[in-house]
Amino acid sequence: MPLKIDQSKITKEVGEALVAACPFGAISYDGTLKIGAGCKMCKLCTKRGPAGAVTFEEEATAAVCDKSKWRGVCVYAEQHDGKIHPVVFELIGKAKELAAVTGHEVYALLIGADVQAAAEELLTYGVDKVFVYDAPALENFVIGPYANAFTDFIEKIRPSSILVGATVLGRSLAPKVAARVRAGLTADCTVLKMKENTDLVQIRPAFGGNIMAQIVTPNTRPQFCTVRYKIFSAPEKCEPHGVILPMATPDKMLRGRSEVLRVEKKPEEVDISDADVIVAVGRGFAAKDDVALAARLAHALGAQLACTRPLVEAGVFDPKHQIGLSGRTVKPKLIITIGISGSVQFAAGMRSSDTIVAINSDPNASIFDVAHYGFIGDAHEIIPKLIEKTEGRKHV
């Protein structure tokens, strides 16, 4: 820790004063001054008490790697049974923007069994090179062999930046691989920017969405991040110009500590992230009859019903229906919010929607800051009129 304590200068009075001065409650005193894990490095403690009681020491700067040896922006192409997850195409679109800044190529890393057709599909989105690890043992996702292949790719190809979808699989695989290659990992990025020196600026909400943290790892490569589905836009398909490069899969790469005995398909569920129309309800419209009224509107529009976090915590909705930082990110053609105040946590999960309609009785509600259209008034009067106008009409 760069904060150094000189206990010889810590009297009872000084210790108690430092405890009181810490806004994060990270300092304790029981005859000895201690700074805990809650420290946010605000350095207020260095300005209180006698000079030298608590000092801040800069850590030694790590050696800068040779960035010229790391080239390319890589997208991990997650696939299931040969079908590429839609988040991959969104990441390819962003990767092309980032690579244009540095003049690097766009790579895709594809791991699986019998994935030639998937590799060819990736080329139609403008990928320059698709690196393929194809073996029967990779048919099902097993983290050991998949991490082995991913690590092998990094060691041989040395991509400068790696983008991974923040799916269940991606959130499992990316940290393991990042740890193996001793790279940092920024999770759930919402904005990515590239500097001309190939440093990737990774921006994500922090402290409950109250600030946007900008994270840069200038001294190490590769640069790893995960990105949520529906954050970026997929590019249009184009005439393929890239190449598919098969990668060797020796037996030792395919060995893992676990084995898939059988795969049981779960019943398919509608994911609100894929919905074109959504009706979302919040704390201000959470009564049983209120939700039933919102469900009628959703049915009339052919929409999916969604909610904010308080309704999940109250047991009204399943977590799969939650929109926001701790829920799903959505990007529908139309979203109607009812009784939702519009916290930054919720807005971060839906502000990219094509059309946002807000219904709220409070004219000062934050939701109106992101909405394209707003109804100020009693939802019990507004929604029946909307249902009357939309029932029997063709859905969006």
Side-chain angles (χ1 to χ4, degrees):
M1 178 181 289
L3 287 177
K4 184 177 180 181
I5 304 170
D6 186 347
Q7 298 290 353
S8 66
K9 296 184 178 180
I10 306 297
T11 62
K12 180 180 179 181
E13 291 74 17
V14 171
E16 292 176 349
L18 290 172
V19 170
C22 180
F24 303 104
I27 299 177
S28 62
Y29 178 75
D30 57 359
T32 300
L33 192 74
K34 299 175 183 176
I35 301 178
C39 176
K40 301 295 188 295
M41 293 297 170
C42 68
K43 304 182 210 175
L44 280 176
C45 55
T46 65
K47 302 171 184 177
R48 303 293 175 91
V54 181
T55 55
F56 180 81
E57 296 183 353
E58 296 286 352
E59 294 179 318
T61 303
V64 178
C65 68
D66 186 351
K67 298 175 184 178
S68 65
K69 294 181 178 179
W70 297 82
R71 299 187 60 82
V73 180
C74 175
V75 172
Y76 171 65
E78 178 181 337
Q79 59 81 31
H80 301 272
D81 297 328
K83 182 179 180 181
I84 299 171
H85 193 291
V87 72
V88 174
F89 304 124
E90 297 178 3
L91 296 181
I92 289 173
K94 174 52 65 172
K96 292 170 73 173
E97 293 178 17
L98 300 174
V101 176
T102 58
H104 286 190
E105 292 182 313
V106 175
Y107 303 150
L109 171 61
L110 183 61
I111 304 173
D114 192 20
V115 290
Q116 179 67 22
E120 293 173 357
E121 183 180 8
L122 290 169
L123 292 180
T124 65
Y125 285 87
V127 174
D128 297 302
K129 294 177 181 177
V130 182
F131 296 88
V132 181
Y133 290 83
D134 194 331
L138 297 172
E139 179 180 3
N140 298 307
F141 174 71
V142 178
I143 194 166
Y146 268 59
N148 292 341
F150 209 139
T151 304
D152 180 75
F153 163 75
I154 292 173
E155 292 174 347
K156 290 179 178 176
I157 307 304
R158 300 171 74 86
S160 178
S161 302
I162 301 174
L163 316 185
V164 181
T167 60
V168 173
L169 188 152
R171 285 172 169 160
S172 172
L173 182 60
K176 188 174 184 70
V177 177
R180 283 192 180 185
V181 299
R182 302 184 67 81
L185 171 66
T186 304
D188 286 355
C189 293
T190 56
V191 180
L192 295 174
K193 299 179 182 179
M194 183 67 76
K195 296 183 178 181
E196 292 183 0
N197 67 351
T198 73
D199 285 351
L200 180 65
V201 181
Q202 305 152 76
I203 302 175
R204 57 149 296 155
F207 293 103
N210 293 311
I211 66 169
M212 298 298 288
Q214 295 194 29
I215 301 167
V216 183
T217 53
N219 300 324
T220 60
R221 292 293 185 268
Q223 303 163 103
F224 244 107
C225 67
T226 62
V227 181
R228 283 191 175 197
Y229 183 30
K230 294 292 183 178
I231 291 293
F232 302 129
S233 298
E236 297 291 333
K237 284 192 172 184
C238 60
E239 188 67 27
H241 67 272
V243 295
I244 298 173
L245 301 173
M247 303 293 284
T249 54
D251 289 342
K252 65 178 182 179
M253 178 185 295
L254 305 177
R255 298 193 197 110
R257 295 183 178 181
S258 56
E259 178 185 357
V260 177
L261 299 179
R262 69 177 184 273
V263 177
E264 295 185 5
K265 299 275 187 180
K266 292 177 62 178
E268 287 195 14
E269 299 178 350
V270 177
D271 189 340
I272 62 171
S273 296
D274 296 318
D276 287 332
V277 186
I278 293 174
V279 173
V281 295
R283 198 199 309 263
F285 206 72
K288 184 177 180 180
D289 291 343
D290 294 341
V291 174
L293 183 59
R296 281 185 57 202
L297 176 60
H299 179 74
L301 292 169
Q304 293 296 316
L305 199 60
C307 67
T308 57
R309 181 170 178 170
L311 273 69
V312 172
E313 294 175 340
V316 179
F317 281 89
D318 185 275
K320 294 178 181 178
H321 294 276
Q322 180 189 336
I323 296 174
L325 287 179
S326 55
R328 305 293 175 96
T329 301
V330 298
K331 194 178 180 182
K333 296 177 182 177
L334 169 66
I335 181 170
I336 299 176
T337 70
I338 308 171
I340 295 176
S341 62
S343 68
V344 291
Q345 292 87 347
F346 173 79
M350 49 70 74
R351 68 186 318 137
S352 296
S353 304
D354 291 348
T355 303
I356 302 171
V357 178
I359 302 174
N360 201 298
S361 59
D362 180 5
N364 298 314
S366 300
I367 191 66
F368 291 120
D369 294 335
V370 297
H372 300 104
Y373 303 96
F375 292 91
I376 301 173
D378 187 348
H380 298 92
E381 298 177 0
I382 297 170
I383 294 176
K385 294 179 181 179
L386 291 177
I387 294 173
E388 182 182 347
K389 293 288 186 180
T390 55
E391 280 185 332
R393 296 193 177 189
K394 188 175 181 181
H395 295 153
V396 175

